[in-house]
Amino acid sequence: MIIASWKDILGQAEAVNKLKHFISSGKLNHAYLFMGPQSVGKHTTAKVLACAINCEAKGCGKCSCCVKITRETHPDVIQVAPEGNFITIGQIREVQREVSRKPFEMDSKVYIIDEVEKMTAEAANALLKVLEEPPDGVVFILITSNLEGVLPTIVSRCYQIYFRPIAIDVIIDEIVRRYEVDKDRAELVAKISRGIFGNAIEMLNSERRLKRREFVLCLAEKLKRLDALGLANEANCLTSEVGNYIGELKLKQEIELVEVEEIVANRAHAARFKKRLIEKQKRERGKEEFRAFEDILDIFSSWYRDVLIITGCLNEDLLMNTDCVEKIRIFGKGFSLQKAQGALEIIQETKRMLRFNINRQLALEVMLFKLQEAV
Ligand SMILES: [Zn+2]
């Protein structure tokens, strides 16, 4: 789904109204800092703001300018995100070099810098210099979910916009309204996506994501009955599924790359833009692969978390997998709170390890063995 207009941003009326006011009054700041918890729409809002700044209709969501911005292929809306664990000095130097160049297609350029807290000290100081003397016609949108990690001198150069967590009921109502699904299904996708609206929508539309969930929940249920070979096979299946997904993503990215050549007419500009896009795509694949493994672990967690709720006689409104409560009840018979807690700890530990450069299939396998022993 392409999200390109203000009305698509959920539960952030205050932030949206402020930004709309900047647009309608024509008094844009040269730098904004979007802050708030993860996955509440900061990045989407940044793109919508970029559309509003540049589209003739102030963000119609339909014209070629808006579409390019939302698909992240617009040469004048430049996205910067951590390369690996950091935003490096090299990345900010590139911003410094290019910031005063004229835009290719629009009147102004927009820089969207994600996870600004991950800038190295050098990079942060270099960015500060740019923010101190911003060229005309450039708007910076800095995004963070960890304000403590951002230099106060950078914070003070930006207009600060706060984003709030979104209540699960708001998400459920919105899914029902937008997609005309029944409330039970809306509640299920909202809960299993942990109240992250974007994920809930993705889940609603993604057969793959639902199949993955089914596979993992089924595996959690039958884990005890599998032998060593069976466990290794299951880990292999999960890894291959992620591999296929990344393969498909790569194909899509290759098409996107071809499209770029058609979008940017000037050859020198196209080469530079293409180089940046290739890097971005590589980062995106890395991120998606990580997210997929994290997702697998989160699904495992949701199972044991629900077991814990049922065996501990806690409030069943807190259950995530509302479509398989009976299965969880049967599984949880004779299961102790300590066991469920132990399983959750094993999964958390694996999740921490995923952040390091480890063999992910092996990590999954080890986790499955440990879970089998623990439960
Ligand atoms: Zn437009």
Side-chain angles (χ1 to χ4, degrees):
M1 185 178 77
I2 285 187
I3 293 178
S5 63
W6 296 116
K7 66 172 176 17
D8 296 320
I9 300 164
L10 185 66
Q12 304 296 351
E14 201 182 316
V16 164
N17 287 338
K18 271 190 191 154
L19 293 170
K20 274 170 132 175
H21 181 72
F22 279 109
I23 296 290
S24 60
S25 66
K27 285 183 189 146
L28 273 171
N29 266 55
H30 71 270
Y32 292 89
L33 177 65
F34 287 5
M35 47 199 179
Q38 263 171 357
S39 306
V40 291
K42 298 188 293 297
H43 191 85
T44 304
T45 309
K47 289 201 273 187
V48 173
L49 179 62
C51 290
I53 293 171
N54 291 293
C55 153
E56 284 180 11
K58 300 212 183 315
C60 66
K62 295 180 194 112
C63 69
S64 81
C65 171
C66 286
V67 170
K68 279 187 220 167
I69 291 173
T70 29
R71 290 180 60 199
E72 302 188 7
T73 52
H74 202 299
D76 296 323
V77 177
I78 298 110
Q79 316 238 4
V80 181
E83 275 175 6
N85 290 327
F86 299 104
I87 295 179
T88 63
I89 179 70
Q91 288 175 278
I92 300 300
R93 285 215 177 107
E94 197 178 337
V95 173
Q96 280 179 317
R97 267 196 305 275
E98 299 209 343
V99 76
S100 44
R101 288 207 182 106
K102 270 185 17 190
F104 297 143
E105 296 178 15
M106 313 192 296
D107 294 331
S108 46
K109 285 207 282 197
V110 178
Y111 283 85
I112 299 175
I113 309 186
D114 256 318
E115 302 182 80
V116 274
E117 75 278 5
K118 293 197 176 155
M119 275 191 292
T120 63
E122 262 184 310
N125 282 314
L127 181 69
L128 184 62
K129 284 201 188 102
V130 182
L131 295 179
E132 278 166 353
E133 289 170 30
D136 282 343
V138 178
V139 176
F140 284 91
I141 306 170
L142 277 47
I143 301 176
T144 186
S145 48
N146 175 15
L147 188 62
E148 289 76 31
V150 188
L151 273 187
T153 37
I154 288 188
V155 177
S156 69
R157 292 266 157 202
C158 303
Y159 188 96
Q160 293 142 37
I161 303 271
Y162 293 90
F163 287 74
R164 302 173 180 287
I166 311 172
I168 198 118
D169 289 343
V170 174
I171 294 177
I172 295 170
D173 289 347
E174 190 64 14
I175 294 171
V176 171
R177 193 184 68 77
R178 274 195 211 178
Y179 298 93
E180 293 174 356
V181 293
D182 62 67
K183 194 152 181 185
D184 284 349
R185 189 163 164 75
E187 188 180 342
L188 175 68
V189 290
K191 285 191 168 172
I192 58 185
S193 54
R194 291 156 193 84
I196 298 169
F197 186 57
N199 286 0
I201 301 306
E202 194 186 310
M203 206 160 315
L204 207 57
N205 297 315
S206 159
E207 204 53 37
R208 170 195 294 283
R209 178 60 187 66
L210 288 172
K211 275 200 182 131
R212 181 190 292 157
R213 172 174 174 266
E214 215 171 283
F215 187 94
V216 173
L217 292 183
C218 178
L219 174 57
E221 194 191 5
K222 69 181 179 191
L223 197 67
K224 204 78 190 148
R225 302 191 293 274
L226 291 173
D227 59 10
L229 188 65
L231 282 184
N233 272 340
E234 299 287 327
N236 185 28
C237 280
L238 284 168
T239 316
S240 314
E241 189 262 330
V242 176
N244 290 341
Y245 166 56
I246 299 301
E248 281 168 30
L249 177 66
K250 198 167 179 214
L251 282 179
K252 274 190 216 154
Q253 290 179 329
E254 278 161 13
I255 296 170
E256 192 186 19
L257 211 53
V258 174
E259 282 173 357
V260 164
E261 280 167 350
E262 292 158 16
I263 292 166
V264 188
N266 181 309
R267 282 183 68 190
H269 290 167
R272 197 165 55 233
F273 187 64
K274 209 170 148 183
K275 185 176 152 252
R276 197 148 56 202
L277 186 61
I278 290 174
E279 280 162 13
K280 195 192 117 207
Q281 289 180 334
K282 203 173 142 202
R283 272 202 306 276
E284 203 172 272
R285 287 199 300 277
K287 229 178 180 173
E288 278 302 304
E289 195 188 70
F290 177 76
R291 261 187 59 183
F293 277 100
E294 205 175 41
D295 186 37
I296 290 171
L297 298 188
D298 284 342
I299 303 169
F300 269 112
S301 281
S302 75
W303 175 266
Y304 292 107
R305 186 183 163 278
D306 285 354
V307 170
L308 196 140
I309 289 171
I310 286 181
T311 49
C313 300
L314 304 173
N315 179 0
E316 293 198 6
D317 284 346
L318 298 172
L319 289 172
M320 290 172 92
N321 300 295
T322 49
D323 58 338
C324 42
V325 179
E326 262 326 292
K327 270 190 195 164
I328 296 165
R329 226 182 274 286
I330 294 167
F331 180 90
K333 276 201 180 122
F335 213 86
S336 69
L337 278 178
Q338 285 78 0
K339 271 187 183 176
Q341 196 64 47
L344 285 169
E345 274 163 24
I346 290 167
I347 299 164
Q348 275 312 315
E349 177 57 29
T350 313
K351 214 170 162 179
R352 269 193 294 276
M353 275 165 54
L354 274 193
R355 300 204 167 270
F356 302 104
N357 200 11
I358 53 157
N359 179 330
R360 288 175 175 157
Q361 182 171 334
L362 193 63
L364 272 184
E365 243 179 82
V366 171
M367 181 187 83
L368 294 182
F369 277 110
K370 282 189 182 168
L371 281 176
Q372 198 180 45
E373 270 176 23
V375 304

